[in-house]
Amino acid sequence: QVQLVESGGGLVQAGGSLRLSCAASGGTFSQYAMGWFRQAPGKEREFVAWLSRYGGITYYSDSVKGRFAISRDNAKNTVYLQMTSLKPEDTAVYYCAANPDDYYVHSPTAYPYWGQGTQVTVSS
């Protein structure tokens, strides 16, 4: 069973950048497809990005496409979310999640393993 810990969140001005990291332990990291999700106050958790087990396939939500990039380093058991051109509406708690099934799925209910989240706040 894999455990996930996110880091890298913080306060940034609109137009700025942040890189989130999610470190995995307790399992074989390369056996999991990885997703990033976010949840703003009063809203449901929403899909942000997905990455296949070996990093060859990615998917993004329309709201972040072209601004965010998901990547992974299986040797370091870490998945990243590079966020650029940040907007106030990107403000949320960001979560990474692991799925042993290596196909794209955007529903949070499909992911059995979650980190605790990291706060991203974008000021206008």
Side-chain angles (χ1 to χ4, degrees), residues 77-90:
N77 293 344
T78 302
V79 63
Y80 305 97
L81 185 68
Q82 179 68 50
M83 306 185 293
T84 61
S85 301
L86 282 161
K87 305 175 181 179
E89 51 264 44
D90 294 318

Side-chain angles (χ1 to χ4, degrees), residues 28-111:
T28 303
F29 182 62
S30 61
Q31 293 183 350
Y32 296 91
M34 298 300 297
W36 282 97
F37 293 78
R38 66 187 182 186
Q39 189 165 18
K43 295 188 176 181
E44 293 186 351
R45 192 166 298 189
E46 66 170 355
F47 168 77
V48 174
W50 178 89
L51 181 64
S52 59
R53 287 174 179 168
Y54 291 97
I57 304 173
T58 58
Y59 286 96
Y60 298 92
S61 68
D62 288 343
S63 61
V64 307
K65 196 174 298 182
R67 300 188 298 121
F68 290 12
I70 187 172
S71 63
R72 68 192 296 162
D73 185 338
N74 285 349
K76 295 182 178 180
N77 293 344
T78 302
V79 63
Y80 305 97
L81 185 68
Q82 179 68 50
M83 306 185 293
T84 61
S85 301
L86 282 161
K87 305 175 181 179
E89 51 264 44
D90 294 318
T91 295
V93 177
Y94 283 71
Y95 299 89
C96 66
N99 186 353
D101 296 323
D102 195 25
Y103 55 83
Y104 166 61
V105 58
H106 65 269
S107 171
T109 60
Y111 292 77

